[in-house]
Amino acid sequence: MSARFDLMNNDLGKSIGKRFAGLSMLVHNSSLPRSTQELVSLRASQINGCGFCTDMHTKDATAAGETAERLHLVAVWREATVFTPAERAALALAEEGTRIADAGDVSDATWAQAREHYDDDQLATLVFLIGLINAANRMNVIVRTPAGLYQPGQFANAS
């Protein structure tokens, strides 16, 4: 299976992709814990049905030391006991931020929960991370980027 269109094999697509990757690197290098970033990205990718991003964030999280148990339980995080209260707040924010079409917005309760665990810089990072992963999911789903070929750190030098 191949993508219906390779965005990185198009001059304009590559140029835009580099800028997108630059934003992603700012998020990656923030004070928001790397494990939280990967869990949030993985959960949004699962919700959006993006195989490529699910593959990527599972592999990147594993390479960063995340356990298989926690990765397997991201989809059912509410029922799992392996996530910290801060991670649970980030996952709730990611789900509501991803499912805006279903609920209309992020609830005040979810925002308050995230506010309780993250400082202003980390909250800004979470908001941008959720927006960026949802954009990446949509682009990859539109062009049908296949899952399974990603190598950890593959885009580290893309920006």
Side-chain angles (χ1 to χ4, degrees):
M1 176 181 188
S2 62
R4 57 169 55 140
F5 184 74
D6 183 352
L7 291 168
M8 296 304 126
N9 198 24
N10 170 275
D11 289 340
L12 182 59
K14 186 182 290 186
S15 180
I16 295 168
K18 282 185 168 194
R19 282 149 182 85
F20 193 87
L23 290 172
S24 296
M25 288 308 297
L26 287 171
V27 167
H28 179 78
N29 293 327
S30 74
S31 64
L32 185 67
R34 173 82 187 272
S35 59
T36 301
Q37 292 181 39
E38 295 299 343
L39 294 172
V40 162
S41 295
L42 176 57
R43 185 64 190 126
S45 299
Q46 290 170 337
I47 292 167
N48 288 322
C50 183
F52 179 80
C53 291
T54 297
D55 179 42
M56 178 172 77
H57 293 290
T58 299
K59 288 176 178 173
D60 281 347
T62 300
E66 190 57 74
T67 68
E69 177 184 33
R70 284 167 43 93
L71 292 174
H72 293 308
L73 293 173
V74 168
V76 293
W77 65 269
R78 283 183 181 79
E79 293 81 26
T81 60
V82 297
F83 300 106
T84 68
E87 290 168 338
R88 296 171 76 73
L91 288 164
L93 187 63
E95 282 197 2
E96 288 187 27
T98 298
R99 292 184 164 145
I100 288 175
D102 300 334
D105 68 358
V106 171
S107 71
D108 290 338
T110 295
W111 183 258
Q113 187 181 22
R115 193 77 166 116
E116 182 180 322
H117 295 284
Y118 298 102
D119 64 28
D120 286 353
D121 286 349
Q122 292 170 325
L123 279 172
T125 300
L126 268 171
V127 170
F128 279 102
L129 173 62
I130 294 164
L132 287 169
I133 191 59
N134 275 281
N137 291 162
R138 281 154 178 76
M139 288 182 276
N140 283 301
V141 168
I142 289 167
V143 300
R144 293 188 184 153
T145 306
L149 301 175
Y150 179 80
Q151 297 299 312
Q154 180 175 324
F155 298 122
N157 297 320
S159 59

